[in-house]
Amino acid sequence: MRTPPRFDRGHTDDLMSFLAASPSPYHAVANAAERLEKAGFRQVAETDAWDGTSGGKYVLRGGAIIAWYVPEGAEPHTAFRIVGAHTDSPNLRVKPRPDSGAHGWRQVAVEVYGGPLLNSWLDRDLGLAGRLSLRDGSTRLVNIDRPLLRVPQLAIHLDRSVTSDGLKLDKQRHLQPIWGLGNDVRDGDLIRFLEEESGLTEGETTGWDLMVHSIEPPAYLGRDKELLAGPRMDNLLSVHAGTAALAGVATADEPLSCIPVLAAFDHEENGSQSDTGADGPLLGSVLERSVFARGGSYEDRARAFAGTVCLSSDTGHAVHPNYAERHDPTHHPRAGGGPILKVNVNNRYATDGSGRAVWAAACEKADVPFQTFVSNNSMPCGTTIGPITAARHGIKTVDIGVAILSMHSARELCGATDPFLLANSLVGFLEG
């Protein structure tokens, strides 16, 4: 009998550290890789020939990570159990020519990424993070995690209509953050500053992928600290839970009957169509190469994929106490009530009845309660990597996650027990 890992409040504490240390997708996958390395996983390069040895392995590509654990004695046709998630969050990202300003203010030119709640970025102390691409072909992570930028809101005295008509923001004109004073805006100032902060030589940087982030750390709140507030829970909460679950099952005592996998993609918030997105070839390539490295044929690949199941783990909507009418009247997921199963008959989520049975069995095995989310018929339904994964790879996929409030805000809210309840359910699933 296997003794599965069991997560508790310490998992939520670790999630807070993970969120604070992961202001960009590139930091998130680096931190996930570090946790997997401690569990015995090793990185493999896509450009190298792969062997069929057992153990934990992972591939890093940009803001995506695919990690898998091959048990002793696994056959080439052994099925996979996949936890899918995404590493990106809606935010403001730095443009190719970042240096701008007017009227004595120095500013940074930014572009809106995904669908953020724009007002949540106003009057907030912001840092800057991402990666620098260097002249020698390498990359360097950068994280200015101190007050550097601010998007100032217009004073009410200059816009009295805001109280009656609501706040209206122009994405081009109203969201450019301030980072200093002066009229002498010079091309290259921001990158030179980041090179200096990173210990690089001026002119060493030839490309960049940078984004702003709130520097306010995650925190428990509520009378009994039963709530967790923090940035990027959509969807680093799932990335963290999937990493912990994979590391847990890989280090448990007995061999597994399946191959557990973590697939954390970038670019979900803008459609997943990239070489690191769920609509790209990365996952299929890794799974196929794993089969072939173990001596498998195309027939083995087909058998493995036919028996594979993916849990697409992403945050969903908890019922909002101030807007309950926006939710389905018979489905009210609550914070602290356990993870949610997400259902949409128009395939905005990939769950069907047989997928529900897989999820129910995993939760029962882990002794975790779960809830069900379905959209109000009068409201549009969001989507995830779930339908993309199912359609692209022909893999049975089930959409699940944790119910939160303030989704796509710079700071989101969930129940403090839900992250570790999710992690425990993922253990039950990955064990097969």
Side-chain angles (χ1 to χ4, degrees), residues 44 74 187-188 236 258 271 294 308 315 361 363 431:
V44 293
D187 282 346
L236 294 188
C258 62
R294 285 176 279 123
T308 292
T315 55
C363 289
E431 288 188 316

Side-chain angles (χ1 to χ4, degrees), residues 277-294:
D279 204 17
L282 180 59
L283 176 61
S285 173
V286 169
L287 298 185
E288 288 179 348
R289 292 183 68 178
S290 175
V291 170
F292 299 151
R294 285 176 279 123

Side-chain angles (χ1 to χ4, degrees), residues 55-288:
K57 305 170 186 181
Y58 68 90
V59 165
L60 286 181
R61 184 193 288 184
I65 181 171
I66 311 291
W68 66 103
Y69 179 81
V70 180
E72 291 283 351
E75 300 285 351
H77 60 265
T78 298
F80 301 94
R81 283 276 174 129
I82 306 168
V83 172
H86 67 88
T87 61
D88 59 320
S89 300
N91 56 20
L92 306 176
R93 301 205 171 188
V94 175
K95 289 183 176 181
R97 294 189 63 183
D99 300 289
S100 67
H103 307 292
W105 301 100
R106 299 177 68 190
Q107 294 175 277
V108 175
V110 296
E111 189 172 3
V112 176
Y113 177 83
L117 286 172
L118 298 178
N119 62 292
S120 70
W121 292 92
L122 301 179
D123 295 332
R124 196 180 281 273
D125 293 339
L126 303 173
L128 191 64
R131 66 177 178 179
L132 303 176
S133 296
L134 308 184
R135 194 173 298 278
D136 63 4
S138 65
T139 59
R140 178 77 62 89
L141 295 183
V142 60
N143 182 13
I144 311 301
D145 197 33
R146 65 174 189 268
L148 180 69
L149 306 159
R150 189 177 181 89
V151 182
Q153 190 169 186
L154 184 65
I156 192 171
H157 312 78
L158 304 178
D159 184 14
R160 297 288 185 181
S161 66
V162 71
T163 57
S164 57
D165 299 338
L167 180 64
K168 298 177 181 178
L169 295 172
D170 182 286
K171 293 180 180 179
Q172 178 62 38
R173 293 184 295 125
H174 299 153
L175 295 174
Q176 308 308 307
I178 288 169
W179 77 303
L181 298 173
N183 292 310
D184 56 336
V185 176
R186 295 168 297 174
D187 282 346
D189 273 358
L190 180 67
I191 301 306
R192 280 190 290 270
F193 165 74
L194 295 176
E195 287 176 328
E196 182 178 347
E197 289 285 314
S198 303
L200 297 170
T201 304
E202 183 177 330
E204 204 171 341
T205 301
T206 55
W208 51 88
D209 301 279
L210 301 167
M211 57 208 71
V212 306
H213 66 274
S214 170
I215 64 167
E216 186 180 2
Y220 290 115
L221 59 92
R223 185 189 64 180
D224 299 316
K225 298 184 177 180
E226 68 267 45
L227 298 170
L228 174 65
R232 299 176 294 281
M233 285 197 276
D234 178 12
N235 185 33
L236 294 188
L237 189 157
S238 294
V239 174
H240 176 260
T243 302
L246 178 60
V249 299
T251 54
D253 298 331
E254 300 296 327
L256 295 157
S257 60
C258 62
I259 297 175
V261 179
L262 169 68
F265 301 100
D266 201 353
H267 302 133
E268 189 272 347
E269 296 294 355
N270 62 8
S272 295
Q273 292 185 321
S274 71
D275 68 323
T276 53
D279 204 17
L282 180 59
L283 176 61
S285 173
V286 169
L287 298 185
E288 288 179 348

